[in-house]
């Protein structure tokens, strides 16, 4: 949804912006090519930062690569003397580069170590599936993967790991396939379980919550926060946060002025997207990974 992101973020000359999920640099390249602005590009994946060196050389003095989590953008920006931003964009979830590298352990299409760590630090997915009690594992698959067969899968994993610990992605996928019916949509039946493990390994939902809060604290008047999410758990968090920030919580009446005047930051934002923007039919056909994308945005109101 690059075109929609650019239109909503509306980068302009002289602006200072932040791309909290640099990834392959697609957004960064487009933003810097659109306006004579300064962009801080954050990514927790060291490999992404290393790849960004080529792009930084194309925009000397304008693209600043920052290794870290976007949930820590307040401290990351403070360390660089940046107090306010004119825009923040977050493209949530795993990047195409991470999916396409089997050695990272995110892919269901090629075998690799059962890792899934974006930063290469902390417990791996293998450690989770090999050590969590059956009930806790089932709860994880249900809550973060929305997997209705979570208990069946957890039972299978615990039984299988008694013979040999899980070490690879295909080893885990095979175990899940053995107890799962074929998905009528054609989606791999292990997809939801892999999603749940990835979210847990990287604390992605917690990161989304921290990132949204930090972004709103950094935005200058007229500054915009644009978020693209790819599954319901992320989108639910973003939707609720933005509605609250704009004083549009469920049950609030748009005809009651008191619902628009709240304390702190919640009185200072307006929704730019009444409903989430979706990718075009053409983009969904050419890029299947974009089909589930949802774009939401808010803007800090100008000072009265």
């Amino acid at each position: 949804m690059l075109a929609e992101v650019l239109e909503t973020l509306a980068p302009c000359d002289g602006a200072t912006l932040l791309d909290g999920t640099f990834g392959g640099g697609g957004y960064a390249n487009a933003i810097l090519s659109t306006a004579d602005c300064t962009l801080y590009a954050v990514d927790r994946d060291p490999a992404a930062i290393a790849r960004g060196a080529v792009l930084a050389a194309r925009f000397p003095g304008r693209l600043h690569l920052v290794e870290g989590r976007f949930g820590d953008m307040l401290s990351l920006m403070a360390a660089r003397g940046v107090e306010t931003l004119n825009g923040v964009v977050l493209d949530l979830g795993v990047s195409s580069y991470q999916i396409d590298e089997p050695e990272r352990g995110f892919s269901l299409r090629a075998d690799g170590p059962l890792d899934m760590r974006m930063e290469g630090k902390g417990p791996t997915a293998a450690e989770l599936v090999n050590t969590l009690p059956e009930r806790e594992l089932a709860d994880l698959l249900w809550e973060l993967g929305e997997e209705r067969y979570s208990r069946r899968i957890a039972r299978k994993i615990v039984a299988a790991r008694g013979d040999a610990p899980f070490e690879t992605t295909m080893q885990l996928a095979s175990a899940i396939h053995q107890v799962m019916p074929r998905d009528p949509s054609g989606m791999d039946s292990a997809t939801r379980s892999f999603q749940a493990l990835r979210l847990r390994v990287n604390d992605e939902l917690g990161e989304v919550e921290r990132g949204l809060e930090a972004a709103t604290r950094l935005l200058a008047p007229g500054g915009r926060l644009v978020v693209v999410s790819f599954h319901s758990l992320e989108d639910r968090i973003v939707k609720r946060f933005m509605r609250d920030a704009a004083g549009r919580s469920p049950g609030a009446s748009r005809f009651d002025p008191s619902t628009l005047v709240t304390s702190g930051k919640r009185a200072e934002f307006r929704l730019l997207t009444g409903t989430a923007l979706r990718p075009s039919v053409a983009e969904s056909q050419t890029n299947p990974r974009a089909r589930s994308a949802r774009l939401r945005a808010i803007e800090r109101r100008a000072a009265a």
Side-chain angles (χ1 to χ4, degrees):
M1 298 186 70
L2 179 57
E4 292 85 352
V5 166
L6 285 177
E7 182 178 358
T8 309
L9 186 65
C12 61
D13 293 351
T16 300
L17 309 168
L18 184 144
D19 176 357
T21 48
F22 177 69
Y27 284 177
N29 181 46
I31 290 168
L32 291 165
S33 299
T34 298
D36 185 12
C37 57
T38 298
L39 180 68
Y40 289 86
V42 177
D43 204 295
R44 64 195 294 183
D45 187 344
I49 297 300
R51 282 194 302 269
V54 174
L55 189 61
R58 286 182 50 202
F59 298 99
R62 296 176 55 204
L63 175 59
H64 304 277
L65 299 169
V66 181
E67 183 176 336
R69 300 186 176 199
F70 63 76
D72 296 327
M73 69 176 79
L74 279 171
S75 59
L76 294 175
M77 291 300 95
R80 290 158 178 79
V82 179
E83 297 181 355
T84 59
L85 296 167
N86 303 110
V88 175
V89 59
L90 303 175
D91 189 348
L92 305 178
V94 65
S95 76
S96 295
Y97 282 93
Q98 291 165 335
I99 293 174
D100 293 338
E101 297 172 348
E103 64 272 18
R104 302 299 299 274
F106 294 102
S107 178
L108 275 166
R109 295 194 302 269
D111 202 13
L114 191 54
D115 194 315
M116 300 191 188
R117 297 173 298 172
M118 292 181 177
E119 295 155 302
K121 301 175 183 177
T124 65
E127 291 177 71
L128 292 180
V129 300
N130 288 320
T131 62
L132 287 180
E134 181 178 327
R135 184 185 181 109
E136 189 174 341
L137 183 57
D139 289 344
L140 165 63
L141 300 180
W142 169 255
E143 293 168 6
L144 296 183
E146 300 179 300
E147 176 53 76
R148 62 176 176 152
Y149 295 102
S150 59
R151 304 213 175 278
R152 180 189 300 183
I153 295 170
R155 191 179 310 117
K156 174 62 177 179
I157 288 173
V158 171
R161 77 191 188 191
D163 297 325
F166 287 95
E167 297 179 348
T168 70
T169 54
M170 291 298 100
Q171 185 184 1
L172 177 59
S174 177
I176 295 172
H177 293 158
Q178 291 174 36
V179 296
M180 288 286 286
R182 184 176 181 83
D183 194 304
S185 71
M187 181 179 73
D188 191 300
S189 57
T191 298
R192 293 185 181 87
S193 295
F194 271 59
Q195 171 191 296
L197 290 167
R198 192 199 84 220
L199 291 176
R200 172 71 173 273
V201 165
N202 298 290
D203 186 24
E204 291 181 48
L205 299 187
E207 187 71 2
V208 171
E209 293 173 344
R210 292 186 290 273
L212 294 172
E213 180 64 30
T216 54
R217 292 177 62 182
L218 280 167
L219 286 177
R224 295 183 170 189
L225 169 61
V226 180
V227 183
V228 179
S229 57
F230 290 87
H231 61 72
S232 60
L233 294 175
E234 295 171 336
D235 186 54
R236 202 173 300 148
I237 293 172
V238 176
K239 178 181 179 180
R240 182 174 62 248
F241 181 91
M242 289 189 173
R243 285 187 172 181
D244 286 350
R248 295 294 189 184
S249 301
S253 170
R254 65 188 179 92
F255 299 107
D256 181 358
S258 67
T259 64
L260 297 179
V261 183
T262 57
S263 61
K265 71 177 181 58
R266 299 195 187 281
E268 299 174 5
F269 291 86
R270 70 182 183 94
L271 290 172
L272 295 176
T273 50
T275 57
L277 301 183
R278 302 288 302 277
S280 66
V281 173
E283 181 173 5
S284 295
Q285 291 175 339
T286 58
N287 180 19
R289 290 176 182 172
R291 290 174 183 169
S292 61
R294 306 285 188 278
L295 185 154
R296 298 183 188 274
I298 53 175
E299 178 184 70
R300 183 182 287 280
R301 298 177 185 274

